[in-house]
């Protein structure tokens, strides 16, 4: 199993409070992602990182910010949580597939076990 | 931009019957295609992928998917399902050379005895 740890795994908070979710990897992969999973929507990309201090927005980035100060950690912050941010959050990583010829980033994702956030 | 449509939200099927989970994608550029599986209360894990070459790809547990460029489809099939295949299945697409993987809404496969 890929070494990906998410914390906390479960959190209940109140509207308006800040929340930070942490993703920690031991694989030294370059790319890291935060997705949210909601019924009927599958997984939607919130933010992603393609290197230390290099991040970009995904499909549903409003209300979220991220930081990556070192390769192994990718933080997702909800500055002021709202009920619409109640969801299961997944961190994922991907790296370069080594093979004959040029190495490529196939985009194969390895997922953490998820963080269930409830905003009351 | 890429998008993925999974045509069935739920597929109930009896054990040992064949199953097909449908996936269509849209993209104007070359893509990589994936199927991921999520068992209850777990994260997603890769089931199989198409990068290039043979259009038929297989997983170790009997699933296969065929890349059809003309129909922009990547349907997942298994000739005989087991109770243990009960899970949610996600089709996903990534632009070759890009950073982002886009997922479909998922298909919940329920295998009945």
């Amino acid at each position: 199993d890929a070494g990906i740890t998410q914390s906390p795994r479960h959190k209940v908070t109140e509207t308006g409070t800040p929340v930070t979710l942490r993703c920690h990897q031991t694989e030294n992969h370059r790319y890291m992602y935060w997705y949210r999973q909601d019924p009927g929507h599958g997984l939607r990309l919130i933010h992603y990182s393609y290197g230390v201090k290099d991040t970009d927005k995904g499909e549903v980035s409003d209300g979220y910010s991220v930081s990556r100060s070192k390769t192994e950690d990718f933080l997702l912050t909800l500055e002021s949580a709202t009920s619409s941010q109640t969801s299961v959050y997944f961190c994922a990583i991907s790296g370069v597939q080594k093979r004959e010829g040029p190495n490529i980033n196939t985009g194969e994702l390895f997922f953490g076990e998820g963080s269930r956030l409830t905003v009351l | 931009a890429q998008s993925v449509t999974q045509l069935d939200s739920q597929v109930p099927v009896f054990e040992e019957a064949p199953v097909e989970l449908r996936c269509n994608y849209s993209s104007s550029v070359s893509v990589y295609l994936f199927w991921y599986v999520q068992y209850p209360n777990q994260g997603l894990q890769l089931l199989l992928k198409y990068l290039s070459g043979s259009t038929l790809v297989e997983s170790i547990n009997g699933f296969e998917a065929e890349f059809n460029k003309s129909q922009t489809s990547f349907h997942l099939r298994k000739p005989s399902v087991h109770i243990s295949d009960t899970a949610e299945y996600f089709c996903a697409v990534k632009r070759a050379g890009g950073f982002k993987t886009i997922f479909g809404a998922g298909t919940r496969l329920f295998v009945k005895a």
Side-chain angles (χ1 to χ4, degrees):
Chain A
D1 289 344
I4 310 168
T5 305
Q6 291 185 228
S7 60
R9 295 289 314 282
H10 301 272
K11 187 172 181 65
V12 180
T13 191
E14 293 187 351
T15 298
T17 60
V19 176
T20 295
L21 305 180
R22 179 180 183 240
C23 178
H24 178 80
Q25 61 144 330
T26 58
E27 304 296 319
N28 200 35
H29 278 348
R30 178 180 173 187
Y31 306 98
M32 299 186 74
Y33 305 82
W34 277 108
Y35 287 89
R36 60 178 288 174
Q37 182 178 22
D38 304 288
H41 292 278
L43 277 78
R44 292 179 292 176
L45 182 64
I46 305 171
H47 281 280
Y48 64 99
S49 169
Y50 47 95
V52 174
K53 297 186 178 179
D54 291 323
T55 65
D56 205 347
K57 296 178 180 180
E59 308 165 80
V60 290
S61 59
D62 287 348
Y64 302 95
S65 62
V66 290
S67 66
R68 191 170 179 198
S69 59
K70 46 187 179 178
T71 299
E72 56 266 36
D73 290 326
F74 192 33
L75 303 181
L76 176 70
T77 297
L78 291 66
E79 299 290 349
S80 177
T82 67
S83 58
S84 64
Q85 294 176 311
T86 292
S87 186
V88 180
Y89 292 85
F90 285 99
C91 174
I93 64 175
S94 71
V96 173
Q97 173 177 299
K98 298 191 183 298
R99 60 175 196 174
E100 292 186 9
N103 293 328
I104 60 172
N105 176 17
T106 65
E108 177 179 346
L109 297 172
F110 299 93
F111 285 86
E113 297 200 352
S115 295
R116 183 175 295 275
L117 175 66
T118 301
V119 183
L120 301 176
Chain B
Q2 292 78 47
S3 67
V4 179
T5 302
Q6 292 185 241
L7 297 162
D8 307 291
S9 60
Q10 296 185 72
V11 174
V13 63
F14 284 104
E15 192 175 20
E16 298 184 5
V19 70
E20 178 180 80
L21 307 184
R22 296 179 293 169
C23 172
N24 286 100
Y25 70 94
S26 66
S27 177
S28 58
V29 297
S30 295
V31 295
Y32 301 143
L33 294 160
F34 308 85
W35 277 97
Y36 288 84
V37 58
Q38 184 181 34
Y39 298 104
N41 300 312
Q42 295 186 23
L44 280 75
Q45 55 189 279
L46 182 71
L47 185 62
L48 47 75
K49 62 186 176 187
Y50 170 80
L51 305 180
S52 63
S54 173
T55 58
L56 186 65
V57 291
E58 299 176 351
S59 72
I60 59 173
N61 58 351
F63 283 94
E64 63 180 31
E66 185 162 17
F67 169 57
N68 186 320
K69 187 174 183 179
S70 62
Q71 296 186 8
T72 60
S73 67
F74 191 55
H75 300 333
L76 181 69
R77 302 184 182 96
K78 189 171 185 180
S80 176
V81 294
H82 302 288
I83 296 287
S84 59
D85 293 324
T86 294
E88 190 156 19
Y89 293 80
F90 294 92
C91 183
V93 62
K94 174 183 172 293
R95 178 175 62 85
F99 296 127
K100 299 185 286 188
T101 299
I102 304 301
F103 286 81
T107 297
R108 190 171 299 275
L109 175 63
F110 179 61
V111 181
K112 301 177 287 186

